[in-house]
Amino acid sequence: MPTIVVKFGGSILRCMEDFERVIQVVKNYNQPLVVVVSAFNGVSQYLVESLEKARFDDQIAQKVYDHLYQLKRELLESLIPDETLRDNVLDSVQAILSELHKYLHGISLTGDASPALEDHVLSFGERLSAVFLKGIFLYAGLDSKVIFPESLGLVTDGEYGNASVDFAKSTLKVKAALTDESIYIIPGSYGISPQGKTTILGQSGSDYFAASLARCIDAKS
């Protein structure tokens, strides 16, 4: 099991040089890690604004899909010359964006969204970052795997928009999920309610998420 949790925030996830530094940081540890990743710089706010626009604009789902796909594609072209690997990463990106499109389109049809649906939509920035990061890690020779909080077993108190981690329900599940000597990439900022719903951890959620994981696995740092 990794004993170090490393968190990369959105402010340093912007351009090719940023991701090259992230790769070098991970290589310098030279050991299994838990890497917690935020959404790319500006993406979380973009999703907040898109949620509101989706209530009145039936074109917003496709606009969001196109914008985020283009953002990821341009960066991947500069970071991964291997066309086959790049296409595999883009396939993963498209799968996540297709799911996001479905939810935003649903909001445009009803003109409304429940707190549970809003939290779920806002989690997509971190989900995209995780699959993106796995791709550039693989190209850099860093064997890694993505694990989402719903598979990790990070359970919250179920409060939408500002959830807290329930350590009594989470600790054993998280430890059991992170047993391999591997580099785990985990999208930060959200956990799962006792009913299985996505719950955002609130402002600076990825910092809190990383610290919570460190507690669950008794990390040394």
Side-chain angles (χ1 to χ4, degrees), residues 47 50-62 64-65 94-125 127 150 190 196-198:
L47 288 175
S50 298
L51 258 175
E52 185 59 31
K53 291 176 182 177
R55 302 174 196 273
F56 312 101
D57 182 356
D58 62 3
Q59 300 300 311
I60 198 66
Q62 190 61 47
V64 170
Y65 182 106
Q94 286 181 302
I96 292 174
L97 287 175
S98 293
E99 187 180 356
L100 174 59
H101 182 285
K102 177 181 68 176
Y103 290 118
L104 288 174
H105 181 62
I107 293 170
S108 72
L109 292 176
T110 63
D112 197 12
S114 67
L117 181 52
E118 288 187 355
D119 273 20
H120 192 59
V121 167
L122 294 178
S123 73
F124 276 84
R127 295 171 191 265
E150 49 267 43
Y190 76 95
K197 301 291 187 180
T198 300

Side-chain angles (χ1 to χ4, degrees), residues 135-204:
I136 65 170
F137 278 11
L138 289 175
Y139 181 71
L142 295 166
D143 190 23
S144 60
K145 60 182 70 175
V146 172
I147 183 167
F148 293 107
E150 49 267 43
S151 300
L152 183 64
L154 192 79
V155 181
T156 71
D157 60 3
E159 182 178 347
Y160 295 113
N162 192 31
S164 299
V165 173
D166 186 329
F167 290 101
K169 294 179 180 178
S170 301
T171 300
L172 291 179
K173 292 179 181 179
V174 170
K175 283 184 176 179
L178 302 177
T179 53
D180 294 346
E181 295 294 300
S182 180
I183 297 174
Y184 290 96
I185 305 172
I186 306 176
S189 85
Y190 76 95
I192 301 301
S193 74
Q195 293 75 38
K197 301 291 187 180
T198 300
T199 46
I200 294 293
L201 299 175
Q203 192 171 11
S204 300

